[in-house]
């Protein structure tokens, strides 16, 4: 928990509080709120994107990999946030894209990504989605025997670039069954192995053990004569510091953990597929306080932002840091425990529970932190809300 005063507090290089006002890239959020009120009928809530924070997050991966001389592709997982502006920014900074369906593939293409820089994963691939990927020479991730046979049946007579998927769960026996199938099919070209361990991973040992398994499998496959195998994808899943200043591993820590083994296998290109750790910390949701209320022993702050913009608390009980964007005009400036809830007709519509906040005045701005990943992209129009 943060201490009683967050004044002068730097959440990161680009978000800080000075004299009780929250700033993003030197812009006072309260001023932004005021100017939106002048031009929009319904100016609240809104997301604030920090391009510099996004750039820093990309750089944490890219410059470390470049410095170490590790061949790599940094594939942004589009599903985390498909705002075209984000896609342009990641593309301009040398990232590739990881998509889970044809719509995301099309968006990546529309943003100017070339097919070979797009990896299309997903466990149910429709014919149009495969055709789009194959026509544009995207890499296609195969996630099961079912998926492989389905792709092979659908892509003829096009040329497909297949990329096998391996997890701890993919048995060697299954791999052995699949390899001859790929070998016999002139349209399939095995170029690498892929894994994705999960989400919000804060333990590098998981990645490290997986790397050993993957390197073993790649060696095995190469011995079988698959000479085009050149990519090793470790997927995404690195967590971020939602709780503010917790020690969780950074992208630099992750890369340092795998660097020696990647350098020993310097014919391989390391693919990473982060979503959350690129965009998560670059976005705030700015809401307005509708009022405070009390039920029995609990105090609530009701805001105009809700689960339709930030569903992670309702869905996973996830924690997002909350902060007033301006000093309170209330006489009482003592922090108290509040549940911060939205106006949607669902008990689960909350943004935070038991948060120590200064009681805000009506109309005060309240920011929800780290909403760049899996918030806007999971947004909804429930209750006819505009999103
Ligand atoms: C969702 C997903 C990612 C991104 O995961 P993050 O937790 O956002 O880093 C990467 N690769 C694949 C295959 C995914 O499905």
């Amino acid at each position: 928990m943060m201490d009683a005063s967050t004044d002068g507090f730097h959440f990161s290089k680009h978000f800080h509080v000075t004299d009780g006002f929250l700033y993003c890239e030197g812009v006072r959020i309260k001023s932004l709120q005021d100017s939106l009120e002048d031009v929009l009928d319904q100016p609240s809530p809104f997301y604030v994107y920090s391009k510099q924070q996004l750039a820093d997050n990309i750089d944490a991966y890219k410059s470390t990999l470049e410095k170490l001389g590790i061949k790599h592709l940094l594939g942004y997982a589009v599903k985390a946030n498909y705002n075209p502006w984000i896609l342009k920014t990641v593309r301009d900074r040398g990232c590739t894209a990881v998509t889970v369906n044809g719509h995301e593939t099309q968006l990546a293409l529309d943003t100017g990504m070339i097919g070979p820089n797009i990896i299309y994963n997903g466990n149910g691939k429709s014919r149009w989605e495969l055709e789009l990927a194959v026509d544009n020479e995207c890499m296609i991730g195969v996630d099961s025997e079912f998926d492989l046979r389905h792709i092979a049946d659908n892509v003829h007579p096009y040329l497909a670039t297949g990329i096998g998927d391996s997890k701890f769960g993919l048995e060697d026996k299954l791999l052995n069954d699949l390899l001859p199938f790929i070998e016999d099919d002139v349209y399939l070209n095995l170029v690498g192995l892929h894994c994705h361990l999960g989400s919000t991973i804060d333990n590098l040992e998981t990645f490290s053990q997986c790397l050993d398994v993957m390197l073993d499998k790649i060696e095995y496959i190469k011995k079988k004569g698959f000479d085009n195998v050149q990519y090793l994808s470790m997927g995404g899943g690195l967590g971020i510091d939602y709780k503010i200043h917790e020690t969780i591993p950074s992208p630099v820590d992750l890369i340092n953990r795998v660097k020696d083994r990647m350098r020993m296998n310097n014919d391989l290109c390391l693919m990473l597929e982060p979503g959350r750790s690129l965009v998560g910390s670059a976005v705030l949701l700015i809401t307005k306080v509708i009022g405070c209320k009390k039920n029995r022993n609990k105090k609530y702050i009701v805001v105009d932002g809700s689960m339709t913009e930030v569903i992670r608390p309702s869905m996973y009980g996830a924690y997002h840091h909350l902060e007033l964007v301006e000093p309170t005009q209330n006489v009482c400036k003592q922090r108290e425990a509040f549940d911060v809830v939205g106006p949607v007709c669902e008990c689960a519509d909350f943004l935070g529970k038991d948060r120590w906040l200064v009681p805000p005045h009506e109309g005060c701005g309240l920011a929800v932190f780290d909403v760049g990943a899996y918030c806007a992209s999971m947004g909804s129009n429930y209750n006819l809300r505009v999103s």
Side-chain angles (χ1 to χ4, degrees):
M1 191 192 306
M2 312 260 321
D3 109 287
S5 163
T6 47
D7 210 38
F9 188 83
H10 282 249
F11 295 93
S12 74
K13 220 161 77 194
H14 309 297
F15 298 104
H16 68 94
V17 177
T18 301
D19 295 334
F21 287 96
L22 177 65
Y23 290 78
C24 168
E25 294 189 16
V27 176
R28 190 183 272 201
I29 298 292
K30 170 76 172 125
S31 315
L32 198 58
Q33 244 180 342
D34 290 346
S35 36
L36 282 178
E37 245 152 59
D38 292 342
V39 293
L40 296 176
D41 283 343
Q42 293 177 27
S44 186
F46 60 92
Y47 298 102
V48 172
Y49 287 68
S50 165
K51 187 173 186 173
Q52 289 185 30
Q53 185 65 52
L54 176 57
D56 280 6
N57 295 346
I58 297 169
D59 201 50
Y61 280 100
K62 272 240 148 220
S63 67
T64 312
L65 287 161
E66 274 156 23
K67 248 183 265 161
L68 292 167
I70 297 172
K71 261 192 289 185
H72 64 274
L73 288 178
L74 187 61
Y76 170 61
V78 175
K79 74 174 189 284
N81 190 324
Y82 39 74
N83 182 318
W85 172 87
I86 293 211
L87 260 87
K88 283 202 177 68
T89 306
V90 301
R91 181 209 60 193
D92 289 349
R93 292 181 178 265
C95 294
T96 57
V98 178
T99 67
V100 294
N101 63 29
H103 302 290
E104 288 188 359
T105 305
Q106 187 62 58
L107 183 69
L109 290 166
D110 291 347
T111 313
M113 300 250 187
I114 54 166
N117 281 347
I118 299 171
I119 300 152
Y120 168 36
N121 290 306
N123 57 8
K125 300 178 173 84
S126 303
R127 191 182 174 95
W128 75 269
E129 298 178 302
L130 284 166
E131 284 183 357
L132 179 69
V134 172
D135 285 349
N136 287 284
E137 297 176 35
C138 301
M139 276 195 246
I140 299 176
V142 175
D143 85 339
S144 60
E145 181 175 4
F146 157 79
D147 196 32
L148 179 64
R149 294 188 192 278
H150 179 72
I151 290 169
D153 288 347
N154 272 275
V155 296
H156 295 170
Y158 309 95
L159 184 71
T161 309
I163 174 168
D165 178 292
S166 169
K167 292 183 187 170
F168 290 121
L170 187 79
E171 310 258 327
D172 287 337
K173 183 184 163 306
L174 182 56
L175 197 59
N176 275 329
D177 288 349
L178 295 184
L179 290 177
F181 184 84
I182 296 171
E183 201 167 19
D184 290 346
D185 191 320
V186 290
Y187 297 110
L188 296 175
N189 176 19
L190 181 62
V191 296
L193 284 189
H194 170 266
C195 66
H196 176 62
L197 290 167
S199 208
T200 60
I201 299 170
D202 57 7
N203 178 359
L204 292 181
E205 189 54 28
T206 315
F207 283 104
S208 182
Q209 286 177 10
C210 180
L211 180 66
D212 283 336
V213 174
M214 296 291 278
L215 284 170
D216 277 355
K217 290 196 174 175
I218 286 193
E219 194 184 310
Y220 175 80
I221 290 170
K222 279 184 157 175
K223 278 203 189 118
K224 295 234 155 187
F226 288 88
D227 297 330
N228 291 336
V229 170
Q230 53 188 305
Y231 295 103
L232 166 52
S233 172
M234 296 295 293
L238 191 65
I240 63 170
D241 183 20
Y242 283 114
K243 298 229 163 123
I244 310 292
H245 289 193
E246 273 198 338
T247 40
I248 62 154
S250 69
V252 178
D253 297 331
L254 168 63
I255 294 162
N256 279 329
R257 188 65 170 257
V258 301
K259 71 173 182 218
D260 291 337
R261 281 168 283 174
M262 286 316 299
R263 283 164 137 181
M264 276 178 345
N265 293 277
N266 64 7
D267 54 329
L268 287 177
C269 175
L270 175 66
M271 297 198 324
L272 295 172
E273 307 181 337
R276 187 187 315 274
S277 53
L278 290 184
V279 283
S281 66
V283 185
L284 303 173
L285 180 75
I286 308 300
T287 70
K288 269 199 154 193
V289 172
I290 295 172
C292 296
K293 66 177 185 184
K294 202 174 159 188
N295 269 355
R296 292 193 196 95
N297 295 326
K298 242 191 187 337
K299 288 187 169 172
Y300 297 88
I301 298 173
V302 186
V303 296
D304 61 4
S306 75
M307 65 190 286
T308 61
E309 295 80 41
V310 180
I311 201 172
R312 299 188 66 257
S314 314
M315 200 148 128
Y316 315 114
Y319 181 98
H320 284 268
H321 181 71
L322 304 176
E323 189 80 32
L324 302 188
V325 312
E326 62 189 298
T328 187
Q329 290 163 15
N330 270 346
V331 191
C332 168
K333 305 204 188 313
Q334 292 288 337
R335 284 180 184 246
E336 296 174 54
F338 289 101
D339 281 8
V340 178
V341 300
V344 166
C345 285
E346 281 295 331
C347 297
D349 185 26
F350 69 94
L351 297 170
K353 291 203 162 153
D354 284 321
R355 300 306 178 81
W356 286 84
L357 292 162
V358 176
H361 56 273
E362 204 179 305
C364 181
L366 183 143
V368 187
F369 275 63
D370 302 311
V371 300
Y374 308 106
C375 292
S377 65
M378 294 174 103
S380 77
N381 298 107
Y382 184 48
N383 281 196
L384 258 186
R385 285 172 63 85
V386 183
S387 70

